[in-house]
Amino acid sequence: MGGGVSEEERLARAALTRLTEPGDENVGRWLRQMGAVGLVRGLTGAGPPPEGARADRLAGCRARADALDPGGDLAAVARLGGRFLCPGDTQWPGQLDDLGDARPVGLWVRGDANVRLWALRSVAVVGARACTDYGSHVAALLGSGLAERGWVVVSGAAYGVDGAAHRGALAAGGATVAVLASGIDVPYPRGHAELISRVAEQGLVLAELPPGGHPTRSRFVLRNRVIAALTRGTVVVEAEYRSGSLVTARRARELGRQTMGVPGPVTSGLSAGVHELLREGACLVTDADEIAELVGGIGDLAPERRGPVVARDLLEAGAARVLEAVPGRGGGDLGLIAREAGRSRERTLVSLYELRALGFVERLGDHWQLADAASTSGTPKPPGRRPPVRRGGP
């Protein structure tokens, strides 16, 4: 892990992850004032209490202190092949410091990758748990597309969009990170135990809670701030108005990260939250290229989007005006077409013969008309011999 963190401080911070709740700004302030070792002593009654700590708060911490065994927690995680990162370690992702006093006390980690380096090129893909087939499909495409472009896909390992994003990245052989609201040895949801294990093997699993920690409603919400701060931007794929993924996106915006949303049907309640986010100023994205353009560096541009090029698009401007002037029904003579095109008869005639060679028009006596398969906006009929026109009686 490296860095200037002493073993005493690492043990103290590990203890704090069991004594306190994630994201508590009072704890962050006390850490700045007292240091990790002093704060553990103050919360457990072995030293002066932190300034402003209520009696009931101290009593709760002392009750938790009976189960404190930070050395045992570190050993348990090491047996899983994991580790405990602290601010000051060389692998500590510095963007988490943007959370101020709500910064994690430390991170419990499974996986071999360098957390700091992976976080520098990461994108969060989050959304509804009860997503539609459309949402699951889009999340998987974004996960695989970002992974193929060298981006790390970060999500919360939940059902729905989160799981689809992780699977997309894994299927592409890419990097993905799951940020849990439980301990890294407690897969949640249980139905994603295999997925979380695959993420740990191919990527990283992170948590603020110590081994054995179980998720609660508030811990899910607080977990979202880590996802928002850890990544370069957050993409929301399907979300209702009260979705936790919107909390992640709005926190990302507050932290100066890119906030993005994938639109859905206006008739779907699962897209209502995303559309509200877009109205608030989030960027609309539809694929991994557009996401990479927003969160990447200079040169990470999405390809230009345009409709198909048809033959008419390639016409010289004068010829295009003449083609526009050819009547759609029954055709017209040279004088009529020249007048409608606003060109001389001579130049109009030259353009008509060019258009005839290209298969846009055909000549019938003194009249010019659109070829059978041509339109003023599409592709001409290939030029070729036509049967003779019979005139008069039999």
Side-chain angles (χ1 to χ4, degrees):
M1 287 172 283
V5 179
S6 67
E7 191 62 24
E8 185 182 31
E9 179 173 352
R10 193 177 306 281
L11 286 166
R13 284 182 175 269
L16 286 172
T17 66
R18 196 169 288 281
L19 282 173
T20 64
E21 286 296 309
D24 189 324
E25 295 190 19
N26 286 323
V27 172
R29 176 168 55 84
W30 293 335
L31 261 174
R32 287 190 291 104
Q33 294 171 345
M34 305 174 67
V37 176
L39 180 56
V40 171
R41 290 173 178 164
L43 292 176
T44 58
E51 180 183 352
R54 300 191 311 272
D56 59 334
R57 174 70 179 272
L58 293 173
C61 287
R62 287 167 188 166
R64 288 187 175 186
D66 293 338
L68 275 185
D69 181 12
D73 287 338
L74 292 172
V77 168
R79 286 193 294 271
L80 291 173
R83 57 202 187 277
F84 180 65
L85 287 181
C86 301
D89 285 330
T90 55
Q91 285 197 30
W92 179 259
Q95 53 265 59
L96 290 181
D97 299 343
D98 293 345
L99 291 169
D101 286 341
R103 178 182 71 173
V105 171
L107 285 177
W108 300 91
V109 182
R110 282 180 67 190
D112 297 328
N114 187 305
V115 181
R116 182 181 67 84
L117 294 180
W118 274 30
L120 290 174
R121 192 174 168 83
S122 64
V123 179
V125 180
V126 297
R129 287 176 172 81
C131 66
T132 65
D133 290 343
Y134 163 79
S136 179
H137 177 68
V138 170
L141 286 178
L142 295 182
S144 61
L146 287 166
E148 288 168 355
R149 288 158 181 77
W151 288 89
V152 178
V153 177
V154 179
S155 200
Y159 290 131
V161 167
D162 288 20
H166 288 307
R167 289 189 183 94
L170 291 170
T176 187
V177 176
V179 183
L180 305 184
S182 59
I184 58 174
D185 60 338
V186 180
Y188 190 90
R190 293 290 183 184
H192 274 180
E194 182 179 352
L195 173 62
I196 293 170
S197 178
R198 287 179 59 204
V199 171
E201 292 173 3
Q202 190 168 315
L204 291 167
V205 176
L206 310 180
E208 293 182 84
L209 294 180
H214 290 277
T216 62
R217 189 179 187 87
S218 62
R219 288 170 176 174
F220 279 117
V221 175
L222 290 165
R223 180 272 309 271
N224 293 341
R225 84 193 194 288
V226 177
I227 295 176
L230 191 67
T231 53
R232 297 279 293 272
T234 295
V235 185
V236 182
V237 182
E238 290 196 323
E240 295 182 300
Y241 282 121
R242 292 175 57 84
S243 171
S245 56
L246 297 182
V247 175
T248 307
R250 288 172 176 140
R251 191 60 184 267
R253 182 174 57 203
E254 292 170 2
L255 292 168
R257 313 297 198 258
Q258 285 286 351
T259 305
M260 297 156 278
V262 177
V266 296
T267 54
S268 171
L270 280 169
S271 290
V274 179
H275 296 162
E276 184 67 18
L277 193 69
L278 293 171
R279 289 179 50 139
E280 292 172 2
C283 292
L284 186 153
V285 292
T286 60
D287 61 20
D289 284 327
E290 293 174 351
I291 296 170
E293 180 178 287
L294 289 169
V295 298
I298 296 174
D300 289 328
L301 299 177
E304 182 181 356
R305 310 304 170 100
R306 56 179 299 173
V309 176
V310 296
R312 177 186 166 78
D313 297 331
L314 305 177
L315 291 176
E316 178 267 330
R321 285 171 57 192
V322 171
L323 180 58
E324 290 278 1
V326 177
R329 286 187 178 181
D333 61 24
L334 177 60
L336 172 66
I337 296 170
R339 187 165 57 251
E340 291 296 323
R343 308 186 83 201
S344 70
R345 292 170 64 93
E346 292 77 11
R347 294 181 66 83
T348 299
L349 186 60
V350 170
S351 293
L352 284 169
Y353 275 109
E354 290 175 355
L355 293 168
R356 181 176 181 273
L358 293 170
F360 280 100
V361 301
E362 55 193 8
R363 182 173 183 174
L364 297 176
D366 294 333
H367 273 58
W368 294 85
Q369 66 181 29
L370 296 176
D372 291 347
S375 73
T376 56
S377 61
T379 301
K381 173 184 176 181
R385 295 190 63 183
R386 294 179 48 85
V389 178
R390 298 186 62 183
R391 301 183 183 277

